[in-house]
Amino acid sequence: MSPTQIAVLGAISGFTIYLGLPLGRLRAEMPRLKTFLNGTATGILVFLLWDVLAHAWEPIDAGLGKDELGGVLGNGAVLLVTAGAGLLGLAYFDQATARRRAETQRAYGPGTASIGELSAAKTRDPASRLAMTIAVGIGLHNFAEGLAIGNSAAAGELSLAVLLVIGFGLHNATEGFGIVAPLTGTRPSWGYLALLGLIGGGPTFVGTLAGQAFVSETLSIAFLGLAAGSILYVVIELLAVARKANLKTVTTWGVFLGLVLGFATDAVITAAGA
């Protein structure tokens, strides 16, 4: 599989986020459907977290078998640090975004735009601002996912790369619903939805290109660690949304379906590579 083909697959994986964005134009709220899709995304991400960490741990485990203590400690530290960076980085980003949003509201009043849009401060409503914040957060973790895809392909692990493309593509489709959830009933423009999709899904393609440019075992572990930390953060956020919805049965069925989709995808890829 050529680098161009991998890049195209990375783009497809990221831009499946557009599949869920049209729901932002619905006038009526659909809480049960949103909760179910939220649960499905959570299940897929839980599976991906396990799968990514398993692949990141493989070279470390192999080093233990060869008594390569220095390499094991070094790669283990890389995995720990990068996973922490992916997890805590998004947490601090969200905190900073919330603080800036509060400062903007104090300065210009409620309903103003983000810091980057002060010239149009009174033209952007709170729902649009929240959707943009979610898109930015998702875009950050999608960049880490793209790195994992590109580096896995560059290292010759095509089955893992394809699995990541399919898995990330599935959950990116559900992330579109998460981005537009605050917009339900407001009917945003198609142009604004396109912008949200570009911010949320585009980094997957960029990360795939970057990941293919650098090939090493340590870098692969680092990229997978970033993806794992980012995935864990999004899982935490989705669980918080599910708790607010207070539809435990619907959420549980969604999580179960997500896990089934994840393991089924893994089984198909494994069978194809056998």
Side-chain angles (χ1 to χ4, degrees):
M1 188 174 292
S2 69
T4 300
Q5 290 174 315
I6 293 296
V8 170
L9 289 177
I12 294 173
S13 175
F15 288 115
T16 57
I17 203 167
Y18 279 103
L19 296 177
L21 294 181
L23 277 186
R25 305 243 329 152
L26 293 178
R27 294 185 182 276
E29 295 188 7
M30 305 175 68
R32 295 183 69 85
L33 176 60
K34 289 182 181 178
T35 301
F36 180 76
L37 293 172
N38 176 84
T40 303
T42 303
I44 292 172
L45 286 169
V46 168
F47 166 78
L48 285 175
L49 177 62
W50 167 81
D51 192 71
V52 167
L53 286 176
H55 282 90
W57 184 255
E58 281 181 0
I60 299 174
D61 189 52
L64 286 171
K66 299 176 182 177
D67 294 326
E68 299 174 350
L69 184 59
V72 168
L73 292 177
N75 287 335
V78 168
L79 177 58
L80 181 62
V81 170
T82 54
L87 175 64
L88 297 174
L90 286 183
Y92 279 109
F93 173 81
D94 275 358
Q95 185 180 56
T97 300
R99 183 168 55 250
R100 290 177 180 177
R101 184 167 61 244
E103 291 172 355
T104 302
Q105 289 178 345
R106 285 196 297 269
Y108 293 90
T112 59
S114 62
I115 292 294
E117 301 173 309
L118 294 183
S119 61
K122 295 185 178 180
T123 64
R124 195 73 71 168
D125 57 70
S128 297
R129 188 176 59 248
L130 178 57
M132 180 64 72
T133 300
I134 295 173
V136 170
I138 288 176
L140 287 175
H141 104 269
N142 280 347
F143 180 75
E145 292 177 353
L147 290 176
I149 293 171
N151 199 239
S152 298
E157 300 179 2
L158 293 181
S159 61
L160 173 60
V162 174
L163 174 62
L164 291 175
V165 166
I166 295 174
F168 290 152
L170 287 172
H171 96 257
N172 281 343
T174 62
E175 283 179 349
F177 302 111
I179 291 176
V180 298
L183 300 175
T184 302
T186 65
R187 290 187 64 80
S189 69
W190 288 110
Y192 189 64
L193 291 179
L195 176 61
L196 292 175
L198 183 63
I199 293 172
T204 307
F205 172 67
V206 177
T208 300
L209 294 177
Q212 291 188 89
F214 305 98
V215 182
S216 77
E217 184 177 88
T218 301
L219 281 175
S220 177
I221 292 173
F223 292 157
L224 290 170
L226 281 172
S230 301
I231 290 170
L232 179 57
Y233 179 80
V234 176
V235 167
I236 294 171
E237 290 296 290
L238 290 175
L239 289 175
V241 172
R243 181 175 293 275
K244 291 179 181 179
N246 198 27
L247 294 170
K248 293 184 178 180
T249 303
V250 176
T251 298
T252 303
W253 274 107
V255 171
F256 176 71
L257 175 61
L259 289 172
V260 170
L261 289 173
F263 281 103
T265 300
D266 190 29
V268 170
I269 296 300
T270 301

